[in-house]
């Protein structure tokens, strides 16, 4: 087998759902679209996205002598449902299990070691949402899927419940054909069902109205006005646009047990979050993606949900006791 086939096979053995290869060109069109999006202030307070668009769109600025990019997708769907209970806040699926940055990085480390063993001399740089790098665009270039109207990557095989990771390499590998087609067709389910109207036109999300941005990335003392009344029960992230996507009917359980819900939780008790000390927070969310929101963000989100929630906390505690949860 050729080196590229060996890499793909070993990647699949590591649990990646698919592995593709892209040539490290400059992402000219994507850079122009990013610039338009930034000019409209759709990035909200994510000011780091304004910095150095050349670096973000030109992988040779991230790694000298780059010759190829290996892009992987890892399915994280687990067959559990969101918990809709009074006095609780729903967690986005991606954050149910262990921090994907660590899980995907470990596997890409392993893949890089495999490549080094195979070719003798190779250098690589791993990107898992950790560098100014357009991971979704590279997944499309590597033929792994297309960007849906909700702006997430969709794969034909397992839908959009996937994490993306990339390995920048200084060895030449034949690229895969990019995904040229968009398979959203006339569907507009994600646009129609978004609780806050954050998908302002197909493929364009105004982060300032997005529940995920507000509950995870936004650092204000109160949530942005556009989402406070329409939180729809979410305390951390939001899955509505992906839950309604017809391509997610092809979802399959992940082969990675670390993506199973920690403590079997798909929601958080709002009263517990309101009372959580910093030490308890560090202990409870160590190794979880949820720590991205920081304790102050979680408490702010819980307070906003409690304000919208018609059920008094005491009743929710009764409900939890009656249903066997703390
Ligand atoms: S819900 Fe419909 S329009 Fe939105 S990403 Fe899925 S297929 Fe595309």
């Amino acid at each position: 087998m050729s080196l590229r086939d060996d890499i793909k096979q070993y990647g699949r053995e590591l649990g990646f759902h698919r592995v593709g290869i892209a040539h490290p060109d400059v992402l000219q069109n994507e850079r122009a679209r990013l610039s338009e999006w930034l000019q409209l202030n759709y990035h909200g307070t994510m000011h780091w996205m304004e910095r150095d668009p050349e670096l973000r769109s030109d992988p040779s600025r991230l790694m000298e002598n780059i010759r190829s990019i290996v892009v992987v997708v890892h399915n994280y769907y687990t067959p559990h449902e969101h918990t809709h209970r009074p006095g609780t806040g729903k967690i986005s699926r991606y954050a149910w299990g262990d921090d994907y940055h660590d899980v995907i990085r470990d596997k890409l480390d392993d893949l890089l070691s495999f490549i080094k063993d195979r070719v003798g001399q190779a250098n690589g740089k791993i990107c898992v949402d950790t560098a100014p790098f357009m991971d979704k665009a590279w997944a499309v270039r590597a033929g792994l899927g297309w960007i849906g109207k909700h702006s997430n990557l969709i794969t034909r095989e397992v839908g959009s419940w996937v994490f993306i990771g990339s390995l920048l390499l200084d060895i030449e590998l034949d690229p895969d054909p990019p995904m040229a087609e968009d398979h959203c067709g006339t569907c507009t389910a994600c646009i129609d069902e978004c609780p806050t109207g954050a998908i302002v036109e197909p493929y364009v999300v105004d982060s300032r109205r997005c529940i995920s941005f507000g509950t995870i990335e936004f650092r204000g003392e109160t949530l942005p006005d556009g989402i406070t009344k329409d939180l729809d029960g979410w305390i951390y992230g939001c899955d509505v646009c992906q839950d309604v996507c017809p391509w997610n009917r092809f979802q399959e359980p992940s082969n990675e047990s670390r993506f199973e819900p920690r403590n079997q939780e798909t929601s958080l008790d709002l009263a517990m979050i309101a009372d959580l000390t910093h030490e308890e927070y560090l202990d409870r969310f160590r190794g979880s993606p949820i720590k991205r929101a920081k304790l102050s963000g979680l408490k702010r989100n819980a307070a906003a949900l409690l304000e919208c929630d018609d059920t008094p906390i005491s009743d929710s505690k009764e409900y939890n006791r009656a249903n066997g949860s703390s």
Side-chain angles (χ1 to χ4, degrees), residues 146 148-150 154 183-184 187-191 241 244-247:
W146 72 99
K149 291 178 187 171
H150 49 25
I154 305 180
H183 296 279
C184 284
C187 174
T188 55
C190 53
I191 300 171
C241 62
V244 300
C245 179
W247 281 98

Side-chain angles (χ1 to χ4, degrees), residues 271-318:
M272 179 275 290
I273 294 295
D275 290 343
L276 207 60
T277 66
H278 193 63
E279 289 66 34
E280 289 167 337
Y281 159 79
L282 291 177
D283 190 43
R284 199 170 202 286
F285 295 109
R286 185 173 295 115
S288 156
I290 294 179
K291 64 185 184 305
R292 173 90 186 164
K294 306 191 182 308
L295 178 57
S296 55
L298 283 182
K299 283 184 185 277
R300 174 202 59 195
N301 301 346
L305 281 174
L306 284 166
E307 222 167 272
C308 315
D309 196 343
D310 294 334
T311 312
I313 299 177
S314 54
D315 286 1
S316 74
K317 283 182 174 166
E318 281 305 319

Side-chain angles (χ1 to χ4, degrees), residues 94-101 163 216 236 262 285 287-293:
Y94 94 87
W96 288 356
D98 289 351
D99 194 334
Y100 69 96
H101 297 96
F163 296 126
I216 300 173
Y236 184 91
R262 294 173 142 219
F285 295 109
S288 156
I290 294 179
K291 64 185 184 305
R292 173 90 186 164

Side-chain angles (χ1 to χ4, degrees), residues 52-66:
D52 206 345
E54 280 73 30
L55 174 66
R56 201 169 279 280
S57 50
D58 181 357
S60 71
R61 298 273 309 276
L62 277 179
M63 181 184 174
E64 269 184 44
N65 303 323
I66 184 170

Side-chain angles (χ1 to χ4, degrees), residues 33-153:
R33 279 201 293 275
L34 173 64
S35 165
E36 279 172 33
W37 188 74
L38 291 169
Q39 275 170 16
L40 291 163
N41 279 324
Y42 285 162
H43 57 308
T45 53
M46 295 186 283
H47 298 298
W48 67 88
M49 298 195 75
E50 298 160 13
R51 287 199 289 268
D52 206 345
E54 280 73 30
L55 174 66
R56 201 169 279 280
S57 50
D58 181 357
S60 71
R61 298 273 309 276
L62 277 179
M63 181 184 174
E64 269 184 44
N65 303 323
I66 184 170
R67 309 281 290 278
S68 317
I69 304 176
V70 175
V71 189
V72 297
V73 290
H74 202 306
N75 172 17
Y76 65 84
Y77 175 80
T78 57
H80 308 282
E81 296 305 322
H82 288 109
T83 315
H84 294 265
R85 280 182 309 173
T88 65
K90 293 178 285 183
I91 309 168
S92 176
R93 247 173 213 289
Y94 94 87
W96 288 356
D98 289 351
D99 194 334
Y100 69 96
H101 297 96
D102 302 333
V103 177
I104 305 298
R105 172 171 284 280
D106 283 353
K107 294 190 183 202
L108 283 175
D109 259 334
D110 205 339
L111 185 59
L112 179 57
S113 299
F114 171 84
I115 295 169
K116 285 180 172 174
D117 286 348
R118 183 75 163 63
V119 301
Q121 187 69 28
N123 292 300
K125 177 179 173 64
I126 292 170
C127 295
V128 189
D129 206 10
T130 43
F133 183 76
M134 294 182 172
D135 54 354
K136 290 184 282 187
W138 287 111
V140 176
R141 293 280 177 123
L144 301 180
W146 72 99
I147 310 284
K149 291 178 187 171
H150 49 25
S151 88
N152 297 300
L153 181 79

